[in-house]
Amino acid sequence: MPSTYSPSPATPGVSSPAGIARAKRRSLVLAIVGALLACLTVGWIASSSRVPWAAFPAGLALILAAGWLHRTRVLDLDRAQAREAQLTLYRVGDTLARFDREDDLVHHALDAVAEGTGLRHWALYAHRGGRGEFTLIATRGLTPEASAALEPDAPGPDARAHASRAAWLGEIVVGGLAGLERDAFAATLPMLGADAEVVSVPFLEHEGLPATVQCFLPAGASLANGERALLRWMAAQLASGLRRLRLERRDQILASYLVGTSEIVLELDLDGVVSSANRAAELALLVPPGELLGCRLDDLAFAPRATTADGEAHVPASGPAAALDVARASGEFSGELGFLRGDGSTFPAEVRLSPAHDRAGALIAIVLVARDITERREGEQDIRARGAELGSMNERLLDANHELEQARRLQNDFLANTSHELRTPLNAVIGFATLLEQRIDADEGERLDFARSIREAAEHLLAVINDLLDLAKAEAGRFELRLLVADVAPTIRAAVDALQPMASAKGLAVRVDVPREPLLAAVDLARFRQVLLNLLGNAVKFTDRGEVRVRAAIDAGSIVVSVEDTGVGIAPERRAALFSKYAQADPSYHRRQRGTGLGLAISRALVDLMGGTIQLTSEGVNRGTAVRITLPVAQAAAAEAESCES
């Protein structure tokens, strides 16, 4: 709703335009009356005088005197009117300069205009807030009902309201109250009547937006050209006042922002020299107040190193000179610059360079607004580091999950294989024992065969149970070895002799290359023999043709024993897991060779306890396998043996 102001009725003074017009009319009437009186006087004198012609000069002089007095009075009134116009403009300008609120400014400006013109009914149309719709924002001497009837439509070629047409055309529009509910409207405007005239004077409110000041004249009244010019001048002053008020408000908001913001704000001339700076800039750059004035942007800022998502620095980004060129050429630069503090330290900043223009549109300055992004950069680096850490952790979890899954699979395979390895000899023992119990054997020879089968099944069953017990001891760390310095060569030959019948049965050649000189090492010979039997048994078991070769030698202070075969070999993806418990080269339940898959795991545990190492190599499937054992020679092993016994 518009703000309505109803002051006490103002009577037009003598010096007001309306008063001056009345004074001119009175002067003209007096001059005419004086001339008529002069004519009557001359006629009376001429009729009663003996010399009638002598009265005519006197009458003419009186008429000329009346005309001269009238003209003098009119000139005085014109001068008074000009002075009053000047005083009115001064009063309006002074009124507009004394108020800081738009409502107060508008009301007192309308009072000043009413006092200067003698017209008491006024309305002001503008864009509320300098941006909204075109509307009635203030009235003087009008009732709320009249204000409702005066609401305008949008300025345009089809506008109906007087104020809207004047704002669109940019010219004074004079008209009646037609179309505004004449009877109801006129009843709310005392001293005007239904035939009142409406005078709409346009002006530019703010940034080219149109506005209109409107006055109402009594029926039959009109405005002279001088009065119209006065209204235009007053409208221009009102526009200047509104513009000043809104610019001051904007400047106050900007000043409050510059004082309260933590952003760096610099005003640069076209050469990049600082002409003004806010306090935040001085604090951020660690310089005393006023020290930034006259500094060049090139001395305060530098091109940061462009970085990728992994945080590595690469080609330099745009520098301050290039940023100024972009702002001058394209109207704005947005990017990053590094800034140098007074203590020599630096920090990265997000920068925007915007051009500033004068009223004619000429470029006069560059405004720099920058924000320190050190914390953001540190946060990004922290996020990248955490992301890399989470990625690494995720990979480790995936690997661990894969290992657990593989271990679970191996354990399931081991349970299936072990149950098979236990059930098969037990079935043989039970079956042959049942045959003996039922005396189904035909003769003494068959009875001996049944007994031999029972013994072999029991021995196999004992081997499986021993493997399980050895594995349990290894996992519990309860393997007890008795390490003595001894020659391992006889043990190697004895192990080969033990497996020779199995190899001969398969038609395999077993070649032994063991030196005659002693191979002294600190070992538990029984456990060392167990390791060799595991390795030789695997070699013979998984080799169908070719040979098995056993070698022993002293190399670089260590005793090296290798078992090589020309058998089925091992796939590359299976090599790493073979020394793990439950692992086998062929883990399937229907594999060709029997076994629990514990031999290599137990062998590694035993060799480790004897201070040695064990390694397995294979060039691939069907390309053979080589297992290499290294043991410390007797001098180095003796100390370890003594420490174990102690």
Side-chain angles (χ1 to χ4, degrees), residues 150-194:
L150 289 172
E151 280 294 337
D153 49 1
D158 299 326
R160 295 186 305 248
H162 299 312
S164 302
R165 289 205 303 272
W168 173 256
L169 296 173
E171 299 177 355
I172 294 179
V173 174
V174 180
L177 299 179
L180 298 178
E181 302 180 4
R182 290 173 60 103
D183 297 337
F185 184 83
T188 63
L189 296 176
M191 301 174 57
L192 290 179

Side-chain angles (χ1 to χ4, degrees), residues 29 40 49 133 157 159 167 222 253 270 284 293 312 357 367 481 496 525 527 537 566 585 643:
V29 170
L40 292 175
S49 175
E133 62 178 347
S222 62
I253 293 174
L270 299 183
L293 301 182
E312 297 182 357
H357 301 87
V367 178
L481 301 184
V496 172
L525 291 178
R527 292 297 187 180
T566 59
S643 63

Side-chain angles (χ1 to χ4, degrees), residues 289-313:
E291 287 293 323
L292 290 177
L293 301 182
C295 295
R296 297 185 61 83
L297 182 61
D298 290 340
D299 299 330
L300 302 174
F302 58 90
R305 299 288 291 179
T307 57
T308 59
D310 57 2
E312 297 182 357

